[in-house]
Every structure is written in C-alpha cells, then in structure tokens.
Amino acid sequence: KFLIPDSASGLPVGPWTALRQGYLATGSDGEVRLRDAGGVLTLTVKSGAGLVREEREIALTAAQFDALWPLTEGRRIEKRRAVVAEGEQRYEVDVFEGVLSGLMVAEVEFQGVDEARAFQPPTWFGAEVTDDARYSNASLARAGTLPAEATGR
C-alpha cells in the first residue's frame, strides 16, 4: 500500500466505482467487513497483517447487507476506486471521501513475498505504508480521522 501525493502526475482518471465499507469486527487476529462496491454486496473476513494477508469473501443479498450494516456504525469509510493496469501490473487506486477526504492510496497485490519485495513503484506513488497499521482501512474506519502526517504528504 502506497500513499499518493497531491502533486502526483500521471494519476489515472477512472472509471471509478463508489465503495462504502463498514467493519463488524476488527482486532489483532483480523477483521470482518461489509462492502457495497457499486451495488455488489459482500462480507469479507481477513486475517494477517502487513505484506501477507488471507482473505475470504462471500456475496450477500441486499436484505442480508441491510440487516448487518447498522452494526458497523462508527466504523465506516467511503471512497472511490479505479483499477489501473500498467503492463502486467494492476493497481487499485482509492480516493477517500467524507472525514477521510484528501487521502489517496494505491494498493498492489502480488503472487508472493519475493515478487512484492522486487516491486519498483511507478513515479506517481508516494511513501509505502504497507506495514503502517494506521493506514489499514479498518484502522481508518475506527479512527474516523486521517493520520497526522497524511495531510502533509
């Protein structure tokens, strides 16, 4: 995960998908998240932290999502996402909205740790925050504010 500075040139411009996420549970062992990605409703369980994580996702009906969503009160984020392809690499670019407005990040997934460590980010990427727990979506949702230095990228 990388911050994208406001001054980034070459930043992709969509198409964007609106996302809202709410967290049912977060902790050192993982998290349980609800997501509405442009009407695609899912429940996701993640374990691990930093560079290596495991994820399981299941589709939800609107009724299931609506029944669970109120349980995420106080632990929500809103953002827009664009998927950018450069060569064989794909980047998910998130632009946060609401109380987290101003934060932009790019996430990159790899097949393994060696591939991740060999990665050379494009010039429009800023600081890497993969291992900075303050920038996990769950932490941002719980805190409801940007980390102090995020606005000074």
Side-chain angles (χ1 to χ4, degrees):
K1 182 181 279 190
F2 295 83
L3 297 178
I4 301 175
D6 292 333
S7 61
S9 61
L11 182 64
V13 290
W16 298 94
T17 300
L19 289 123
R20 63 181 174 138
Q21 293 178 185
Y23 291 82
L24 295 166
T26 62
S28 59
D29 291 337
E31 61 200 48
V32 180
R33 170 190 82 201
L34 294 176
R35 176 185 279 169
D36 176 353
V40 176
L41 309 173
T42 56
L43 173 81
T44 304
V45 177
K46 290 186 176 188
S47 61
L51 193 58
V52 179
R53 303 200 67 192
E54 186 164 340
E55 184 174 316
R56 298 282 191 261
E57 187 171 88
I58 60 171
L60 296 176
T61 66
Q64 291 169 324
F65 185 91
D66 291 344
L68 294 170
W69 186 250
L71 301 175
T72 68
E73 182 70 37
R75 295 178 310 280
R76 296 177 182 163
I77 58 173
E78 295 178 36
K79 58 187 178 179
R80 293 178 290 126
R81 172 173 286 169
V83 178
V84 179
E86 289 185 359
E88 293 185 25
Q89 193 62 63
R90 286 175 30 116
Y91 311 122
E92 292 180 340
V93 176
D94 291 341
V95 176
F96 287 78
E97 298 175 339
V99 296
L100 299 172
S101 182
L103 178 62
M104 294 186 290
V105 299
E107 292 190 47
V108 188
E109 291 188 6
F110 302 98
Q111 296 298 314
V113 173
D114 290 340
E115 184 183 350
R117 290 198 172 121
F119 176 68
Q120 294 296 312
T123 57
W124 51 272
F125 278 27
E128 182 176 1
V129 292
T130 302
D131 293 321
D132 189 336
R134 297 172 303 162
Y135 287 95
S136 76
N137 285 323
S139 292
L140 292 167
R142 278 193 321 269
T145 61
L146 294 169
E149 71 282 355
T151 56
R153 305 186 302 278

